[in-house]
Amino acid sequence: MTDGVDSTNGRNVRRRTVLTTALGAVPVAMAGGIGGAAAAFAAPAGDRGAVEGLTVEHRTNPLGVDATRPRFGWRTASATRGRRQTAYQILVASTPERLSPARADVWNSGRVASADSVAVPYAGRELRPSTRYHWTVRVWDENGRIVPGTPAAHFETALLSTDGVTGWDGARWISMSGKAPNTAGAPLLRRQTELTGRRVRAARLYVSALGVYDAYVNGHRVAVPHGRGTTHELLTPGWTNYDARVSYLTYDVTALVAAERQVTLAAVLGNGWYNSRVSEGSSYYSPDGNRLALKARLLIRYTDGSTQTVVTEPGADWKATDTGPYRADDIYDGQTYDARKELPGWTANGFDTAGWSGVEEHGFTTKFPDSRLVAYPGESARLIPEWDRAPRSITVYSGGSSGKAATLPLILRSGETAVIDLGQNMVGVPRYSLRGPEGAQVTLAPGEMLNDDSAGADGPVGSVYRANLRSAKATSTYLLKGDPGGETHQDSLTFYGFRYVSVTATDTVTLTGFTGRVATSAVRDIGTVTTDDADVNQLISNVRWGQRGNYLWVPTDCPQRDERLGWTGDTQLFSNTGLYNADAVNFLSHFEESLIDSQRIYGQDSAQFTWVAPGNRYNHPVPASGWADCGVVVPWTVWQMSGDPAVIDRSWAAMTKYLDWIHRRTGDTYAGQGAVFGDWLAFQNTGTQLMSDVYYGYSARLMADMARATGRTAEGRAYDDLFARIKRAFIANYLSTDNGTLTVRSSLGDPPPTPGDTPTKTEDNTQTALLWILKLGFHETQAQRRQLVTMLAENIGNDAAYKAAHPDSTRVDYAENTLSVGFLGVNVLAPVLTDVGHADLAYRLLHQDAMPSWLFSVKNGATTVWERWNSYSKDDGFGPVAMNSFNHYSYGAIMEWMYESMAGIAKDPAHPGFRHFFLRPHLDPTGRITRVAGSHLSPYGEIASQWAVEGRELTYRATVPANSTATLRLPTSDPDTVREGRTPLSRVRGVEHLDFADGIASYRLPSGRYELTSALG
């Protein structure tokens, strides 16, 4: 619970503040700052800790592991100070009973003297496909003692093949015979088979689709584990470049098969991304439509050792029809479901398929013989029950009425419109329950905003605003079967981005229930930041909800209009925030694989990384620095946050191809390739070539880091040299000292496209140019650096004197202490300000609610981050419909700074994965924020950092996980006042005092929990 914002409904409500973190619920409003919880920080007597968090391929007890040398990870949990691992021993066995050093029959690593516990590769005998392996790890601590309580875990291999043949037992891509693409009705496919054994020991379903599928076994829709129960996925198997790779998923369906003597395997096929205009321009796209197809293998193992497989293949009793209730579906346009056409029992045993068609082999493998069929490596997109949204309000409009409040159950008559507010802009599907006459049609039209009487509204006041959806129809249509007991439905072959839903009906119906079901691939939150400022907390909530909605199989730009694409610029600039917030290592690594496929298929000269991935909609082979650099930034960021260099090795050839391509284009000018989008949607334009040049330098620097980390010493030196040459060329081109005045010539070159009301001219000394120059050190002297910092501070400050000195700047139109950056400046703004000693300006920008600012949208009712700084205002109305998403997470990249500088949990680039990290909280000089709590589940355990200022005293609490260390940088007037209890921190056993400068005391901390106080000046 936070002071000010109830993040479940977006309301600003003042109440007592409680900061909830990994350290527990702490009432920070009490006297003494954070409050006394010393007992929680005291190590239990004789605490030896425990090993926990066992993962394989960054997943817990995963099914469908396709790596031949899977990577193991674990954490050591201990409150003992200085707990660290000195050795480990991994055991892998065929049964749990064999998990001992003497009996492990798959792999015994032996005792390995190492502190490694992240991404430790398997080195045992060759793994078999479709096999469960059990494993554990023994850990020795700093005293040479085994850490007790080591749990056992398991993982299960997938088919360990990518050719679509090996391991599939003859399974083929099958389609409904005679069904032409884009004809009405989703294909329903089924096969019933007699079980050949007596007692089922285990059953696994391997399944994929050209399109998307809902799979059923013996009348039950296949679900996935979630919490203590299960949930359903949405739009499996996700989106890839189908001509390069298609994903399949693995399910444990033992319980669905074991209870019966026959087995029915069934599926509904939807168009998904494969047969939709979302894929226009893609090499697999057909203007005449693509036929949908299913590929599946059901493997059944019996207790007597025998096995049975049921596979998709022509003939073999597979039957299909398109006469069922799923009448139409499209990613952009929604879904139509006619309950009158339901076929009760069609997914279960004993259903009569008389009149159904047969199936035939789909021609996909002939058309795309090199396409790989690969196990999906991460968490599928799924519905998250705990995030379900109940209506916050319902208003019924009739004719020209002003509307009346209503509650469920609600009688809705023809000519009336019910507008439902779920209180949160979200992504997923509505679930609704109805009673009414057979054939009554109910239409649900989701949207993100309500119309008011301001400019740009597309309907009466109170109606759902949908102009920004552009050509997307985004409509859920349901035709009732007339069941007197009521009927319930939720779409499964599409998704929507919405907070509001308008409901109309052709006949009188009763709406008895309504829920917004949230879908995401970011299924586990692993980080949080909470403050005692209501507006900042709402911004944090907005960022998180934007990530949930746009991390859906691919990291999309927006979830609602006729776009929903994996834009690479958005992805790279938000990736660090995304990994702080959620368990997204596999998600972003998988996207990198799609991006590499897109580079080869669609990239200019098969070398430039593309604007979007997968697919080719809106993509063009035009240089696009900042977007294309996603192919370098994402691997670096994933490696930094996870400590796993595997993504570097998998991406290395593609990354070097990209950098080599730029050099071939620009040669010894050491200029970037060009940047068509520049600093997209900025309110102060920077020349696109400058943006390209800084990203060329940035990618070169990241490549040097990654080369050294993976043993590519010569390449590291080469990229260091490239960076130095880019820097020299940049300084010569853009830094002018004419007449003794330093000028950044950011006005040189073309402006980016200027959709809507963004500025059309470029300017010198723009915020974004200054930020990137300071970030990369693109200056010659410290005196120049100081001048650049002053110029940046004056630009942001934007006082009367600055405006008078720059009458032609776009800055004259905006308030003091406002930002003017776009997409390529937003994620570096606050971090660079903090690094150059201006955390005060970062906080002033954070608190600003005049446009442009982060809180402008909060002040205007946002519950997610907007595409434009001014997407809407109560005074000026709606922004340009051509480019105006109300769920666009890019500007939410500010949360990276909230973790690293406000809460103070910052990675150390020299020690990826938080093996060593920084605790460096920056207090709010404005005094508006006096309490912050942050946590992040790192590969080594949960890091917590929490501070409160009461008068001139700072109370600080932190957790450093076992097997890691931290450098603490804490504000104080005197390092002697930094104390744990009554003991100066510098005298605490295991703590090393490093230095004291500029009001900051620095210490090296071993693992453990700390509660400190410090006197402020």
Side-chain angles (χ1 to χ4, degrees):
M1 189 169 67
T2 59
D3 184 359
V5 173
D6 180 348
S7 63
T8 65
N9 62 22
R11 293 176 294 172
N12 290 345
V13 181
R14 289 287 168 185
R15 57 190 181 276
R16 187 173 72 96
T17 297
V18 175
L19 297 184
T20 303
T21 72
L23 308 181
V26 183
V28 298
M30 64 190 295
I34 289 180
F41 280 74
D47 172 61
R48 297 279 302 282
V51 178
E52 63 180 22
L54 275 64
T55 61
V56 176
E57 293 293 292
H58 301 283
R59 298 165 64 193
T60 301
N61 294 333
L63 287 177
V65 172
D66 220 21
T68 55
R69 296 185 65 213
R71 296 156 292 167
F72 295 93
W74 60 90
R75 302 189 297 268
T76 301
S78 174
T80 299
R81 289 278 172 87
R83 174 66 75 234
R84 56 189 175 87
Q85 172 187 300
T86 57
Y88 69 82
Q89 182 179 21
I90 298 174
L91 305 174
V92 182
S94 57
T95 66
E97 294 75 23
R98 291 182 175 273
L99 281 179
S100 66
R103 301 188 65 200
D105 57 344
V106 179
W107 182 40
N108 181 345
S109 71
R111 178 170 173 167
V112 180
S114 171
D116 291 345
S117 61
V118 175
V120 178
Y122 172 79
R125 61 183 174 87
E126 183 177 359
L127 298 175
R128 296 178 298 170
S130 303
T131 301
R132 173 163 290 195
Y133 294 94
H134 302 268
W135 76 284
T136 190
V137 59
R138 299 205 297 173
V139 169
W140 285 264
D141 67 15
E142 70 279 4
N143 300 311
R145 299 179 300 180
I146 292 179
V147 177
T150 302
H154 61 263
F155 67 96
E156 195 167 300
T157 53
L159 302 180
L160 298 182
S161 69
T162 61
D163 60 9
V165 176
T166 305
W168 283 93
D169 282 353
R172 311 284 185 87
W173 289 110
I174 60 170
S175 296
M176 177 181 169
S177 294
K179 182 170 176 60
N182 298 332
T183 53
L188 313 181
L189 293 82
R190 60 165 275 137
R191 180 186 178 183
Q192 182 171 331
T193 305
E194 192 84 23
L195 295 184
T196 58
R198 295 189 61 184
R199 296 181 59 192
V200 173
R201 179 170 62 86
R204 299 292 182 267
L205 176 64
Y206 307 92
V207 60
S208 184
L210 301 174
V212 295
Y213 65 81
D214 293 341
Y216 294 82
V217 173
N218 283 347
H220 299 278
R221 185 172 170 191
V222 175
V224 291
H226 182 78
R228 295 183 177 180
T230 61
T231 190
H232 290 132
E233 298 166 307
L234 187 68
L235 301 172
T236 44
W239 188 15
T240 55
N241 289 303
Y242 300 98
D243 46 333
R245 75 177 70 209
V246 182
S247 296
Y248 70 89
L249 287 97
T250 305
Y251 304 94
D252 181 348
V253 294
T254 306
L256 304 183
V257 174
E260 303 195 36
R261 296 308 310 149
Q262 293 187 326
V263 61
T264 292
L265 177 59
V268 181
L269 295 182
N271 292 302
W273 296 269
Y274 180 67
N275 185 42
S276 170
R277 54 197 170 99
V278 71
S279 288
E280 282 177 342
S282 304
S283 51
Y284 57 83
Y285 177 78
S286 171
D288 298 326
N290 283 324
R291 299 182 68 199
L292 308 182
L294 178 72
K295 186 166 186 172
R297 176 197 181 211
L298 175 61
L299 171 63
I300 305 169
R301 288 192 168 105
Y302 297 101
T303 55
D304 63 3
S306 63
T307 63
Q308 178 183 4
T309 59
V310 180
V311 299
T312 51
E313 55 186 334
D317 297 325
W318 277 96
K319 298 295 182 180
T321 186
D322 61 1
T323 62
Y326 303 87
R327 304 315 304 154
D329 64 272
D330 184 83
I331 292 292
Y332 289 159
D333 294 336
Q335 183 171 327
T336 298
Y337 186 94
D338 188 344
R340 298 171 300 177
K341 294 181 175 293
E342 287 179 344
L343 304 169
W346 78 270
T347 62
N349 293 322
F351 182 80
D352 183 1
T353 56
W356 284 42
S357 301
V359 300
E360 57 192 12
E361 186 167 359
H362 191 283
F364 179 78
T365 54
T366 300
K367 186 174 182 180
F368 299 113
D370 297 326
S371 180
R372 294 172 290 162
L373 189 56
V374 300
Y376 187 73
E379 301 293 352
S380 55
R382 61 193 59 173
L383 300 167
I384 309 297
E386 57 266 34
W387 296 340
D388 282 355
R389 309 293 307 185
R392 177 179 173 183
S393 68
I394 302 175
T395 307
V396 177
Y397 298 88
S398 178
S401 72
S402 59
K404 59 181 180 180
T407 58
L408 297 176
L410 163 67
I411 297 175
L412 186 66
R413 296 172 177 83
S414 176
E416 294 181 332
T417 300
V419 174
I420 298 173
D421 177 8
L422 294 169
Q424 173 64 55
N425 199 4
M426 51 162 283
V427 172
V429 293
R431 178 180 178 86
Y432 44 94
S433 297
L434 303 160
R435 286 196 308 271
E438 180 181 356
Q441 178 175 303
V442 178
T443 302
L444 287 78
E448 299 178 293
M449 298 285 284
L450 294 182
N451 283 300
D452 54 18
D453 58 2
S454 64
D458 71 343
V461 172
S463 63
V464 177
Y465 170 81
R466 283 166 51 92
N468 70 319
L469 301 184
R470 304 190 304 206
S471 69
K473 296 183 179 68
T475 302
S476 178
T477 303
Y478 183 84
L479 288 91
L480 279 76
K481 59 187 174 185
D483 188 336
E487 40 204 289
T488 298
H489 175 74
Q490 69 183 38
D491 291 345
S492 63
L493 304 179
T494 190
F495 70 97
Y496 308 95
F498 63 105
R499 170 177 172 172
Y500 303 95
V501 180
S502 72
V503 184
T504 57
T506 58
D507 296 276
T508 298
V509 299
T510 301
L511 182 64
T512 58
F514 195 96
T515 304
R517 306 295 316 279
V518 176
T520 185
S521 295
V523 299
R524 278 186 294 276
D525 292 339
I526 61 171
T528 183
V529 178
T530 310
T531 80
D532 59 348
D533 184 281
D535 291 336
V536 172
N537 287 343
Q538 182 65 60
L539 174 61
I540 291 168
S541 175
N542 294 0
V543 175
R544 189 178 300 282
W545 277 98
Q547 177 177 358
R548 288 170 178 167
N550 283 295
Y551 272 29
L552 188 85
W553 292 111
V554 300
T556 55
D557 58 326
C558 62
Q560 74 297 91
R561 68 186 181 213
D562 55 353
E563 199 160 344
R564 314 187 197 192
L565 303 173
W567 280 96
T568 49
D570 309 53
T571 300
Q572 64 89 4
L573 66 94
F574 188 80
S575 58
N576 208 26
T577 294
L579 288 163
Y580 267 114
N581 276 339
D583 181 5
V585 168
N586 287 345
F587 176 80
L588 288 175
S589 298
H590 180 257
F591 179 74
E592 175 74 8
E593 293 174 352
S594 288
L595 182 55
I596 292 170
D597 289 339
S598 291
Q599 175 195 42
R600 176 179 55 82
I601 300 168
Y602 307 116
Q604 191 168 2
D605 300 322
S606 294
Q608 181 183 223
F609 290 113
T610 51
W611 302 0
V612 300
N616 202 38
R617 184 174 171 86
Y618 297 137
N619 188 56
H620 296 280
V622 175
S625 290
W627 273 249
D629 296 279
C630 178
V632 176
V633 175
V634 163
W636 185 87
T637 307
V638 169
W639 162 58
Q640 284 286 307
M641 294 294 288
S642 70
D644 186 352
V647 66
I648 299 174
D649 293 328
R650 290 198 299 263
S651 307
W652 189 258
M655 294 190 297
T656 55
K657 181 190 291 187
Y658 170 59
L659 270 293
D660 291 346
W661 173 77
I662 297 175
H663 188 252
R664 288 198 306 273
R665 289 175 62 87
T666 64
D668 292 341
T669 66
Y670 296 102
Q673 57 172 315
V676 62
F677 300 116
D679 188 24
W680 182 245
L681 296 183
F683 279 83
Q684 187 182 34
N685 270 336
T686 303
T688 56
Q689 188 58 50
L690 183 148
M691 295 309 306
S692 181
D693 294 353
V694 296
Y695 260 96
Y696 189 18
Y698 185 46
S699 283
R701 191 168 78 177
L702 299 187
M703 290 293 287
D705 286 350
M706 290 187 284
R708 283 187 289 270
T710 54
R712 297 174 168 93
T713 307
E715 290 97 324
R717 288 194 297 267
Y719 283 116
D720 281 335
D721 180 68
L722 175 61
F723 177 82
R725 292 172 185 270
I726 295 168
K727 175 179 175 177
R728 286 196 295 271
F730 183 94
I731 291 171
N733 287 335
Y734 297 107
L735 266 60
S736 169
T737 56
D738 292 348
N739 302 317
T741 300
L742 180 64
T743 302
V744 175
R745 301 195 298 168
S746 49
S747 63
L748 293 180
D750 299 326
T754 54
D757 54 359
T758 49
T760 58
K761 66 176 182 177
T762 56
E763 300 182 30
D764 286 336
N765 303 326
T766 61
Q767 282 184 21
T768 296
L770 291 164
L771 289 163
W772 273 101
I773 290 169
L774 289 166
K775 178 178 175 65
L776 297 177
F778 278 7
H779 47 74
E780 293 178 315
T781 66
Q782 286 303 303
Q784 283 186 348
R785 181 180 183 274
R786 288 191 293 272
Q787 285 181 274
L788 292 163
V789 172
T790 298
M791 293 159 62
L792 177 61
E794 290 175 346
N795 183 317
I796 291 169
N798 199 32
D799 60 15
Y802 182 84
K803 292 177 180 179
H806 303 84
D808 296 327
S809 172
T810 57
R811 298 293 289 134
V812 301
D813 297 325
Y814 300 106
E816 296 181 7
N817 298 316
T818 52
L819 52 79
S820 64
V821 298
F823 277 35
L824 297 188
V826 70
N827 65 317
V828 298
L829 176 54
V832 168
L833 284 173
T834 303
D835 289 346
V836 301
H838 271 297
D840 58 330
L841 277 179
Y843 270 105
R844 288 193 180 98
L845 287 174
L846 177 64
H847 292 305
Q848 176 64 266
D849 63 8
M851 213 284 294
S853 67
W854 283 286
L855 294 187
F856 180 80
S857 62
V858 171
K859 182 176 70 173
N860 283 278
T863 61
T864 44
V865 176
W866 295 346
E867 180 175 19
R868 292 173 171 272
W869 295 115
N870 61 339
S871 283
Y872 168 82
S873 76
K874 297 171 184 175
D875 295 330
D876 299 325
F878 295 90
V881 296
M883 201 73 61
N884 199 28
S885 160
F886 291 95
N887 191 352
H888 224 89
Y889 57 50
S890 296
Y891 292 147
I894 180 62
M895 202 165 170
E896 169 188 342
W897 175 83
M898 293 180 180
Y899 278 105
E900 296 192 345
S901 295
M902 192 164 73
I905 301 171
K907 59 186 178 296
D908 178 357
H911 300 278
F914 296 87
R915 174 167 283 188
H916 175 266
F917 59 93
F918 295 102
L919 293 168
R920 55 178 197 190
H922 289 76
L923 310 186
D924 183 358
T926 73
R928 287 186 55 176
I929 292 177
T930 62
R931 298 169 180 89
V932 172
S935 67
H936 171 69
L937 182 61
S938 79
Y940 294 91
E942 189 155 57
I943 301 167
S945 179
Q946 179 172 320
W947 58 264
V949 175
E950 196 78 36
R952 303 311 304 165
E953 183 177 72
L954 170 67
T955 306
Y956 181 70
R957 294 170 64 179
T959 299
V960 179
N963 210 31
S964 67
T965 58
T967 296
L968 170 66
R969 295 175 177 169
L970 202 65
T972 184
S973 59
D974 181 347
D976 285 341
T977 70
V978 180
R979 294 174 178 260
E980 184 175 50
R982 297 181 179 181
T983 306
L985 184 59
S986 59
R987 299 179 190 172
V988 171
R989 183 180 178 183
V991 174
E992 179 185 0
H993 180 227
L994 300 176
D995 62 25
F996 173 64
D998 301 321
I1000 302 294
S1002 297
Y1003 306 85
R1004 178 89 166 193
L1005 302 182
S1007 68
R1009 296 176 179 177
Y1010 299 84
E1011 183 169 5
L1012 311 174
T1013 56
S1014 170
L1016 302 173

